[in-house]
PDB file of all heavy atoms in Angstrom:
ATOM      1  N   SER A   3     -57.323  57.050 -68.223  1.00  0.00           N
ATOM      2  CA  SER A   3     -55.897  56.782 -68.327  1.00  0.00           C
ATOM      3  C   SER A   3     -55.541  55.629 -67.410  1.00  0.00           C
ATOM      4  O   SER A   3     -56.298  55.296 -66.490  1.00  0.00           O
ATOM      5  CB  SER A   3     -55.066  58.017 -67.952  1.00  0.00           C
ATOM      6  OG  SER A   3     -55.227  58.324 -66.589  1.00  0.00           O
ATOM      7  N   VAL A   4     -54.420  55.008 -67.674  1.00  0.00           N
ATOM      8  CA  VAL A   4     -53.894  53.969 -66.802  1.00  0.00           C
ATOM      9  C   VAL A   4     -52.437  54.267 -66.513  1.00  0.00           C
ATOM     10  O   VAL A   4     -51.719  54.779 -67.375  1.00  0.00           O
ATOM     11  CB  VAL A   4     -54.031  52.548 -67.397  1.00  0.00           C
ATOM     12  CG1 VAL A   4     -55.473  52.109 -67.405  1.00  0.00           C
ATOM     13  CG2 VAL A   4     -53.441  52.471 -68.773  1.00  0.00           C
ATOM     14  N   THR A   5     -52.021  53.924 -65.310  1.00  0.00           N
ATOM     15  CA  THR A   5     -50.649  54.135 -64.876  1.00  0.00           C
ATOM     16  C   THR A   5     -50.057  52.809 -64.432  1.00  0.00           C
ATOM     17  O   THR A   5     -50.660  52.088 -63.639  1.00  0.00           O
ATOM     18  CB  THR A   5     -50.589  55.129 -63.707  1.00  0.00           C
ATOM     19  OG1 THR A   5     -51.187  56.359 -64.104  1.00  0.00           O
ATOM     20  CG2 THR A   5     -49.147  55.372 -63.284  1.00  0.00           C
ATOM     21  N   GLN A   6     -48.889  52.508 -64.974  1.00  0.00           N
ATOM     22  CA  GLN A   6     -48.133  51.352 -64.521  1.00  0.00           C
ATOM     23  C   GLN A   6     -46.874  51.905 -63.860  1.00  0.00           C
ATOM     24  O   GLN A   6     -45.951  52.320 -64.541  1.00  0.00           O
ATOM     25  CB  GLN A   6     -47.798  50.438 -65.700  1.00  0.00           C
ATOM     26  CG  GLN A   6     -49.031  49.802 -66.317  1.00  0.00           C
ATOM     27  CD  GLN A   6     -48.692  48.891 -67.484  1.00  0.00           C
ATOM     28  OE1 GLN A   6     -48.965  49.202 -68.643  1.00  0.00           O
ATOM     29  NE2 GLN A   6     -48.075  47.767 -67.173  1.00  0.00           N
ATOM     30  N   CYS A  23     -51.297  48.230 -61.733  1.00  0.00           N
ATOM     31  CA  CYS A  23     -51.987  49.068 -62.713  1.00  0.00           C
ATOM     32  C   CYS A  23     -53.019  49.905 -61.969  1.00  0.00           C
ATOM     33  O   CYS A  23     -53.853  49.358 -61.243  1.00  0.00           O
ATOM     34  CB  CYS A  23     -52.663  48.220 -63.782  1.00  0.00           C
ATOM     35  SG  CYS A  23     -53.717  49.165 -64.927  1.00  0.00           S
ATOM     36  N   ASN A  24     -52.984  51.196 -62.165  1.00  0.00           N
ATOM     37  CA  ASN A  24     -53.987  52.081 -61.607  1.00  0.00           C
ATOM     38  C   ASN A  24     -54.690  52.823 -62.737  1.00  0.00           C
ATOM     39  O   ASN A  24     -54.053  53.254 -63.685  1.00  0.00           O
ATOM     40  CB  ASN A  24     -53.338  53.092 -60.654  1.00  0.00           C
ATOM     41  CG  ASN A  24     -52.773  52.419 -59.433  1.00  0.00           C
ATOM     42  OD1 ASN A  24     -51.572  52.182 -59.342  1.00  0.00           O
ATOM     43  ND2 ASN A  24     -53.629  52.096 -58.490  1.00  0.00           N
ATOM     44  N   PHE A  34     -58.027  45.700 -69.264  1.00  0.00           N
ATOM     45  CA  PHE A  34     -57.374  44.588 -69.935  1.00  0.00           C
ATOM     46  C   PHE A  34     -55.911  44.508 -69.496  1.00  0.00           C
ATOM     47  O   PHE A  34     -55.296  45.508 -69.159  1.00  0.00           O
ATOM     48  CB  PHE A  34     -57.376  44.785 -71.457  1.00  0.00           C
ATOM     49  CG  PHE A  34     -58.720  45.049 -72.069  1.00  0.00           C
ATOM     50  CD1 PHE A  34     -59.282  46.305 -72.047  1.00  0.00           C
ATOM     51  CD2 PHE A  34     -59.411  44.018 -72.688  1.00  0.00           C
ATOM     52  CE1 PHE A  34     -60.526  46.548 -72.623  1.00  0.00           C
ATOM     53  CE2 PHE A  34     -60.649  44.246 -73.270  1.00  0.00           C
ATOM     54  CZ  PHE A  34     -61.203  45.509 -73.235  1.00  0.00           C
ATOM     55  N   GLU A  88     -43.008  41.999 -71.880  1.00  0.00           N
ATOM     56  CA  GLU A  88     -43.509  43.290 -71.439  1.00  0.00           C
ATOM     57  C   GLU A  88     -45.016  43.175 -71.266  1.00  0.00           C
ATOM     58  O   GLU A  88     -45.695  42.571 -72.102  1.00  0.00           O
ATOM     59  CB  GLU A  88     -43.171  44.394 -72.436  1.00  0.00           C
ATOM     60  CG  GLU A  88     -43.522  45.797 -71.951  1.00  0.00           C
ATOM     61  CD  GLU A  88     -42.508  46.832 -72.365  1.00  0.00           C
ATOM     62  OE1 GLU A  88     -41.801  46.619 -73.370  1.00  0.00           O
ATOM     63  OE2 GLU A  88     -42.443  47.897 -71.700  1.00  0.00           O
ATOM     64  N   TYR A  89     -45.518  43.770 -70.211  1.00  0.00           N
ATOM     65  CA  TYR A  89     -46.929  43.655 -69.860  1.00  0.00           C
ATOM     66  C   TYR A  89     -47.566  45.039 -69.881  1.00  0.00           C
ATOM     67  O   TYR A  89     -47.026  46.001 -69.330  1.00  0.00           O
ATOM     68  CB  TYR A  89     -47.085  43.018 -68.479  1.00  0.00           C
ATOM     69  CG  TYR A  89     -46.661  41.572 -68.466  1.00  0.00           C
ATOM     70  CD1 TYR A  89     -45.321  41.217 -68.397  1.00  0.00           C
ATOM     71  CD2 TYR A  89     -47.602  40.545 -68.558  1.00  0.00           C
ATOM     72  CE1 TYR A  89     -44.932  39.892 -68.419  1.00  0.00           C
ATOM     73  CE2 TYR A  89     -47.218  39.215 -68.578  1.00  0.00           C
ATOM     74  CZ  TYR A  89     -45.884  38.898 -68.512  1.00  0.00           C
ATOM     75  OH  TYR A  89     -45.501  37.576 -68.536  1.00  0.00           O
ATOM     76  N   PHE A  90     -48.712  45.090 -70.528  1.00  0.00           N
ATOM     77  CA  PHE A  90     -49.426  46.356 -70.657  1.00  0.00           C
ATOM     78  C   PHE A  90     -50.823  46.242 -70.072  1.00  0.00           C
ATOM     79  O   PHE A  90     -51.565  45.302 -70.384  1.00  0.00           O
ATOM     80  CB  PHE A  90     -49.566  46.762 -72.131  1.00  0.00           C
ATOM     81  CG  PHE A  90     -48.269  47.139 -72.786  1.00  0.00           C
ATOM     82  CD1 PHE A  90     -47.538  46.188 -73.491  1.00  0.00           C
ATOM     83  CD2 PHE A  90     -47.781  48.427 -72.695  1.00  0.00           C
ATOM     84  CE1 PHE A  90     -46.340  46.531 -74.102  1.00  0.00           C
ATOM     85  CE2 PHE A  90     -46.585  48.785 -73.306  1.00  0.00           C
ATOM     86  CZ  PHE A  90     -45.860  47.832 -74.014  1.00  0.00           C
ATOM     87  N   CYS A  91     -51.148  47.213 -69.264  1.00  0.00           N
ATOM     88  CA  CYS A  91     -52.507  47.392 -68.792  1.00  0.00           C
ATOM     89  C   CYS A  91     -53.196  48.371 -69.743  1.00  0.00           C
ATOM     90  O   CYS A  91     -52.561  49.304 -70.253  1.00  0.00           O
ATOM     91  CB  CYS A  91     -52.474  47.950 -67.369  1.00  0.00           C
ATOM     92  SG  CYS A  91     -54.068  48.159 -66.581  1.00  0.00           S
ATOM     93  N   ALA A  92     -54.471  48.157 -70.010  1.00  0.00           N
ATOM     94  CA  ALA A  92     -55.179  49.033 -70.937  1.00  0.00           C
ATOM     95  C   ALA A  92     -56.618  49.194 -70.484  1.00  0.00           C
ATOM     96  O   ALA A  92     -57.168  48.343 -69.785  1.00  0.00           O
ATOM     97  CB  ALA A  92     -55.130  48.483 -72.361  1.00  0.00           C
ATOM     98  N   THR A  93     -57.217  50.273 -70.914  1.00  0.00           N
ATOM     99  CA  THR A  93     -58.597  50.530 -70.546  1.00  0.00           C
ATOM    100  C   THR A  93     -59.349  51.136 -71.715  1.00  0.00           C
ATOM    101  O   THR A  93     -58.751  51.758 -72.598  1.00  0.00           O
ATOM    102  CB  THR A  93     -58.677  51.481 -69.337  1.00  0.00           C
ATOM    103  OG1 THR A  93     -60.046  51.639 -68.957  1.00  0.00           O
ATOM    104  CG2 THR A  93     -58.108  52.867 -69.650  1.00  0.00           C
ATOM    105  N   LEU A 102     -58.432  51.864 -77.171  1.00  0.00           N
ATOM    106  CA  LEU A 102     -57.780  51.338 -75.994  1.00  0.00           C
ATOM    107  C   LEU A 102     -56.691  52.316 -75.564  1.00  0.00           C
ATOM    108  O   LEU A 102     -55.858  52.695 -76.381  1.00  0.00           O
ATOM    109  CB  LEU A 102     -57.146  49.978 -76.285  1.00  0.00           C
ATOM    110  CG  LEU A 102     -58.022  48.738 -76.232  1.00  0.00           C
ATOM    111  CD1 LEU A 102     -57.206  47.513 -76.606  1.00  0.00           C
ATOM    112  CD2 LEU A 102     -58.639  48.567 -74.861  1.00  0.00           C
ATOM    113  N   THR A 103     -56.714  52.715 -74.315  1.00  0.00           N
ATOM    114  CA  THR A 103     -55.659  53.563 -73.768  1.00  0.00           C
ATOM    115  C   THR A 103     -54.728  52.676 -72.963  1.00  0.00           C
ATOM    116  O   THR A 103     -55.160  51.982 -72.039  1.00  0.00           O
ATOM    117  CB  THR A 103     -56.250  54.653 -72.875  1.00  0.00           C
ATOM    118  OG1 THR A 103     -57.113  55.487 -73.663  1.00  0.00           O
ATOM    119  CG2 THR A 103     -55.141  55.514 -72.280  1.00  0.00           C
ATOM    120  N   PHE A 104     -53.459  52.693 -73.328  1.00  0.00           N
ATOM    121  CA  PHE A 104     -52.480  51.805 -72.714  1.00  0.00           C
ATOM    122  C   PHE A 104     -51.642  52.514 -71.668  1.00  0.00           C
ATOM    123  O   PHE A 104     -51.369  53.719 -71.763  1.00  0.00           O
ATOM    124  CB  PHE A 104     -51.533  51.262 -73.785  1.00  0.00           C
ATOM    125  CG  PHE A 104     -52.137  50.208 -74.662  1.00  0.00           C
ATOM    126  CD1 PHE A 104     -52.880  50.552 -75.779  1.00  0.00           C
ATOM    127  CD2 PHE A 104     -51.963  48.867 -74.364  1.00  0.00           C
ATOM    128  CE1 PHE A 104     -53.448  49.574 -76.595  1.00  0.00           C
ATOM    129  CE2 PHE A 104     -52.524  47.879 -75.173  1.00  0.00           C
ATOM    130  CZ  PHE A 104     -53.264  48.235 -76.277  1.00  0.00           C
ATOM    131  N   GLY A 105     -51.204  51.746 -70.691  1.00  0.00           N
ATOM    132  CA  GLY A 105     -50.154  52.208 -69.806  1.00  0.00           C
ATOM    133  C   GLY A 105     -48.815  52.126 -70.521  1.00  0.00           C
ATOM    134  O   GLY A 105     -48.721  51.661 -71.660  1.00  0.00           O
ATOM    135  N   THR A 106     -47.772  52.567 -69.839  1.00  0.00           N
ATOM    136  CA  THR A 106     -46.451  52.605 -70.465  1.00  0.00           C
ATOM    137  C   THR A 106     -45.728  51.271 -70.426  1.00  0.00           C
ATOM    138  O   THR A 106     -44.647  51.137 -70.990  1.00  0.00           O
ATOM    139  CB  THR A 106     -45.579  53.673 -69.806  1.00  0.00           C
ATOM    140  OG1 THR A 106     -45.598  53.470 -68.395  1.00  0.00           O
ATOM    141  CG2 THR A 106     -46.109  55.073 -70.112  1.00  0.00           C
ATOM    142  N   GLY A 107     -46.313  50.302 -69.750  1.00  0.00           N
ATOM    143  CA  GLY A 107     -45.750  48.963 -69.780  1.00  0.00           C
ATOM    144  C   GLY A 107     -44.815  48.672 -68.616  1.00  0.00           C
ATOM    145  O   GLY A 107     -44.180  49.574 -68.060  1.00  0.00           O
ATOM    146  N   THR A 108     -44.729  47.399 -68.253  1.00  0.00           N
ATOM    147  CA  THR A 108     -43.767  46.907 -67.260  1.00  0.00           C
ATOM    148  C   THR A 108     -42.995  45.754 -67.885  1.00  0.00           C
ATOM    149  O   THR A 108     -43.599  44.785 -68.344  1.00  0.00           O
ATOM    150  CB  THR A 108     -44.466  46.410 -65.990  1.00  0.00           C
ATOM    151  OG1 THR A 108     -45.171  47.482 -65.379  1.00  0.00           O
ATOM    152  CG2 THR A 108     -43.445  45.843 -65.009  1.00  0.00           C
TER     153      THR A 108
ATOM    154  N   GLN B  37     -45.824  52.269 -81.016  1.00  0.00           N
ATOM    155  CA  GLN B  37     -45.251  51.969 -79.709  1.00  0.00           C
ATOM    156  C   GLN B  37     -43.864  52.571 -79.630  1.00  0.00           C
ATOM    157  O   GLN B  37     -42.995  52.280 -80.457  1.00  0.00           O
ATOM    158  CB  GLN B  37     -45.165  50.449 -79.483  1.00  0.00           C
ATOM    159  CG  GLN B  37     -44.607  50.084 -78.125  1.00  0.00           C
ATOM    160  CD  GLN B  37     -44.499  48.591 -77.926  1.00  0.00           C
ATOM    161  OE1 GLN B  37     -44.695  47.795 -78.838  1.00  0.00           O
ATOM    162  NE2 GLN B  37     -44.214  48.171 -76.703  1.00  0.00           N
ATOM    163  N   ASP B  38     -43.647  53.380 -78.621  1.00  0.00           N
ATOM    164  CA  ASP B  38     -42.355  54.021 -78.405  1.00  0.00           C
ATOM    165  C   ASP B  38     -41.915  53.779 -76.962  1.00  0.00           C
ATOM    166  O   ASP B  38     -42.758  53.772 -76.047  1.00  0.00           O
ATOM    167  CB  ASP B  38     -42.449  55.519 -78.687  1.00  0.00           C
ATOM    168  CG  ASP B  38     -42.886  55.806 -80.104  1.00  0.00           C
ATOM    169  OD1 ASP B  38     -42.065  55.552 -81.012  1.00  0.00           O
ATOM    170  OD2 ASP B  38     -44.037  56.243 -80.315  1.00  0.00           O
ATOM    171  N   GLY B  40     -41.108  53.904 -73.269  1.00  0.00           N
ATOM    172  CA  GLY B  40     -41.533  54.812 -72.212  1.00  0.00           C
ATOM    173  C   GLY B  40     -42.883  55.463 -72.442  1.00  0.00           C
ATOM    174  O   GLY B  40     -43.392  56.149 -71.553  1.00  0.00           O
ATOM    175  N   LEU B  41     -43.463  55.250 -73.609  1.00  0.00           N
ATOM    176  CA  LEU B  41     -44.749  55.884 -73.922  1.00  0.00           C
ATOM    177  C   LEU B  41     -45.871  54.882 -74.112  1.00  0.00           C
ATOM    178  O   LEU B  41     -47.033  55.273 -74.279  1.00  0.00           O
ATOM    179  CB  LEU B  41     -44.615  56.742 -75.188  1.00  0.00           C
ATOM    180  CG  LEU B  41     -43.646  57.915 -75.110  1.00  0.00           C
ATOM    181  CD1 LEU B  41     -43.564  58.631 -76.451  1.00  0.00           C
ATOM    182  CD2 LEU B  41     -44.075  58.894 -74.013  1.00  0.00           C
ATOM    183  N   GLY B  42     -45.569  53.618 -74.120  1.00  0.00           N
ATOM    184  CA  GLY B  42     -46.601  52.613 -74.345  1.00  0.00           C
ATOM    185  C   GLY B  42     -47.096  52.670 -75.775  1.00  0.00           C
ATOM    186  O   GLY B  42     -46.367  53.053 -76.698  1.00  0.00           O
ATOM    187  N   LEU B  43     -48.341  52.306 -75.983  1.00  0.00           N
ATOM    188  CA  LEU B  43     -48.947  52.336 -77.306  1.00  0.00           C
ATOM    189  C   LEU B  43     -49.918  53.506 -77.394  1.00  0.00           C
ATOM    190  O   LEU B  43     -50.723  53.719 -76.488  1.00  0.00           O
ATOM    191  CB  LEU B  43     -49.715  51.042 -77.587  1.00  0.00           C
ATOM    192  CG  LEU B  43     -48.869  49.827 -77.926  1.00  0.00           C
ATOM    193  CD1 LEU B  43     -48.420  49.112 -76.661  1.00  0.00           C
ATOM    194  CD2 LEU B  43     -49.663  48.870 -78.810  1.00  0.00           C
ATOM    195  N   ARG B  44     -49.818  54.225 -78.476  1.00  0.00           N
ATOM    196  CA  ARG B  44     -50.703  55.369 -78.695  1.00  0.00           C
ATOM    197  C   ARG B  44     -51.447  55.181 -80.010  1.00  0.00           C
ATOM    198  O   ARG B  44     -50.881  54.798 -81.017  1.00  0.00           O
ATOM    199  CB  ARG B  44     -49.898  56.670 -78.722  1.00  0.00           C
ATOM    200  CG  ARG B  44     -49.239  57.008 -77.392  1.00  0.00           C
ATOM    201  CD  ARG B  44     -48.368  58.240 -77.520  1.00  0.00           C
ATOM    202  NE  ARG B  44     -47.200  57.986 -78.371  1.00  0.00           N
ATOM    203  CZ  ARG B  44     -46.404  58.932 -78.826  1.00  0.00           C
ATOM    204  NH1 ARG B  44     -46.652  60.208 -78.552  1.00  0.00           N
ATOM    205  NH2 ARG B  44     -45.357  58.624 -79.580  1.00  0.00           N
TER     206      ARG B  44
END
Side-chain angles (χ1 to χ4, degrees):
Chain A
S3 66
V4 289
T5 302
Q6 294 180 251
C23 173
N24 294 100
F34 307 81
E88 187 142 24
Y89 292 80
F90 292 94
C91 183
T93 184
L102 277 178
T103 298
F104 285 85
T106 52
T108 298
Chain B
Q37 181 181 8
D38 301 290
L41 297 177
L43 284 86
R44 295 175 292 168

